[in-house]
Amino acid sequence: MLLDITDIEILFKKKCHCLGAAGTAAAVSLAGTAVSAVGMIQQGQAQASQANFQAGVARNNAIIAQQQATRARQQAAIDEQDFRRQQGDLMASRRALMGGGGVEAGAGSPLAVSSDFAGETELNALRIANMGEVEANRLQQEVMNQQAQAGLFGMQGRQAVTGSYYRAGGTLLSGIGKSMGGFKSPSASSTWTSAPGG
């Protein structure tokens, strides 16, 4: 049960009335303890809210990184297709020039040149695809990092709330103990006054 300021004032007035002047100090101490405990709980809830907000930001960043990774793969596929088409058009132009010049394209040096060109074209197309995949993998790593960060923030928020309840409980118990004058046994101070035969 959380106490608000009205509950604390009512508690204070009742304690002062019931206990008289001697109980006023104890009532003030209890009221202060209760206010402190409420403040601790509210602080923990505020920390949890902040952590939850940061977790939401991290989750959004993970979504954005995932979208960027998908887009990087798509763009690499488009770039690879464009490169292959451009190189195919260039190869067709070369064949037309060789044919127009009376060079037979299917044998000898022209065949070797065409084979080299085709091999270079394939190698460069695969490099384009690889670069896109490298970027997509980097972004996938960012997705995992952001998801882990969101999980960490969520855990911090839960711990802030739990910790605030423990601190508030400890403060309440300590304040109650102080307002009651402590829990010392009247004979505790005389137990070790002197050792027998000493």
Side-chain angles (χ1 to χ4, degrees):
M1 175 177 89
L2 294 178
L3 298 174
D4 63 11
I5 194 68
T6 306
D7 294 332
I8 293 169
E9 287 174 0
I10 292 170
L11 178 65
F12 177 75
K13 287 176 184 176
K14 285 182 181 179
K15 292 297 179 183
C16 287
H17 181 70
C18 292
L19 298 173
T24 303
V28 169
S29 175
L30 282 175
T33 299
V35 169
S36 179
V38 169
M40 287 178 182
I41 290 171
Q42 289 174 340
Q43 181 184 16
Q45 290 171 341
Q47 289 172 341
S49 293
Q50 181 182 5
N52 289 335
F53 173 77
Q54 290 172 323
V57 169
R59 282 190 293 274
N60 286 342
N61 289 341
I63 290 168
I64 291 168
Q66 181 63 57
Q67 292 169 345
Q68 290 173 336
T70 300
R71 181 67 184 127
R73 285 189 176 99
Q74 291 170 345
Q75 188 61 51
I78 290 168
D79 291 347
E80 180 185 2
Q81 290 171 357
D82 288 348
F83 179 77
R84 287 180 186 278
R85 187 173 26 261
Q86 290 168 353
Q87 295 305 95
D89 291 347
L90 186 57
M91 187 63 179
S93 296
R94 287 178 138 188
R95 285 189 188 131
L97 285 173
M98 284 190 276
V103 177
E104 187 179 327
S109 292
L111 177 62
V113 169
S114 295
S115 293
D116 285 348
F117 184 80
E120 283 295 317
T121 296
E122 182 62 22
L123 178 63
N124 288 330
L126 292 175
R127 284 180 179 156
I128 291 169
N130 184 58
M131 286 171 31
E133 192 58 33
V134 167
E135 177 63 10
N137 287 338
R138 184 191 67 76
L139 290 165
Q140 282 300 137
Q141 184 63 46
E142 180 66 20
V143 169
M144 290 187 293
N145 291 344
Q146 291 295 336
Q147 289 171 339
Q149 190 67 42
L152 177 63
F153 283 133
M155 183 180 69
Q156 287 173 343
R158 290 186 297 276
Q159 287 176 342
V161 170
T162 302
S164 72
Y165 286 128
Y166 285 126
R167 286 190 308 276
T171 297
L172 283 172
L173 291 174
S174 174
I176 290 169
K178 287 178 184 176
S179 70
M180 295 177 72
F183 294 104
K184 293 181 184 176
S185 170
S187 61
S189 60
S190 62
T191 305
W192 295 100
T193 53
S194 63

